[in-house]
Amino acid sequence: MQEYIQFFQQNMILSLAWVGILVALIASIYKSSTAAYKEVTASQVTHLMNRENGVVVDIRTKEDFKRGHITDSVHILPSDIKAGNLSALESHKSDPIIVVCKTGQTARESAELLAKAGFANVNLLKSGLVAWNEANLPLVRGKK
């Protein structure tokens, strides 16, 4: 035990960095386990769409959406989700909702808000359209 204390005293910056990483890891695990949505892979998204009537909600900008989006996805801006303008999704309250952005980071807040708005089965495409492209899955180009 004395050796550990001596090590921490001699390597204060390294020790603090280790503690910081440990705290960040624990916080990340806790946050993902208590999230109101579930992270899914690209193959799970295709299963949800084809077998369970899943609806893809693309929250990217209009220009990004036109450049390429998942087939039959609904384009809703994050500002509309925050404002509660969800008329395009009201008929899908019990269907799986898959929230998609470019990398999977900005969609987290929108997925949380949709879950709070009463949608029963909210999912988030892990790594966003980057993962969709890496899986060589098709995108629709141009206007819907």
Side-chain angles (χ1 to χ4, degrees), residues 62-63 65-69 73 140-144:
K62 190 178 284 188
E63 294 79 26
F65 185 78
K66 286 180 185 177
R67 277 188 232 132
H69 57 272
S73 60
V140 176
R141 310 275 183 213
K143 277 193 168 182
K144 205 173 167 185

Side-chain angles (χ1 to χ4, degrees), residues 86-136:
L86 304 171
S87 58
L89 296 176
E90 286 301 323
S91 61
H92 301 286
K93 283 258 187 190
S94 60
D95 295 333
I97 302 292
I98 304 107
V99 184
V100 176
C101 67
K102 184 176 181 179
T103 62
Q105 297 301 313
T106 57
R108 294 180 189 281
E109 182 182 1
S110 295
E112 196 74 42
L113 289 171
L114 286 171
K116 287 180 182 174
F119 291 89
N121 188 357
V122 180
N123 301 278
L124 173 73
L125 176 58
K126 188 175 187 176
S127 300
L129 281 182
V130 171
W132 187 265
N133 287 328
E134 286 175 357
N136 292 322

Side-chain angles (χ1 to χ4, degrees), residues 11-80:
N11 299 293
M12 189 63 70
I13 294 175
L14 179 64
S15 301
L16 290 175
W18 183 83
V19 169
I21 290 171
L22 182 63
V23 167
L25 178 65
I26 291 169
S28 175
I29 291 170
Y30 176 76
K31 188 172 182 179
S32 66
S33 67
T34 60
Y37 57 87
K38 183 175 131 185
E39 286 192 20
V40 293
T41 64
S43 62
Q44 290 171 315
V45 169
T46 59
H47 175 80
L48 289 171
M49 290 172 63
N50 295 329
R51 304 280 167 110
E52 299 182 31
N53 199 30
V55 178
V56 176
V57 176
D58 195 322
I59 65 163
R60 297 174 301 142
T61 64
K62 190 178 284 188
E63 294 79 26
D64 288 340
F65 185 78
K66 286 180 185 177
R67 277 188 232 132
H69 57 272
I70 298 172
T71 304
D72 296 329
S73 60
V74 177
H75 182 246
I76 300 177
L77 294 173
S79 58
D80 291 335

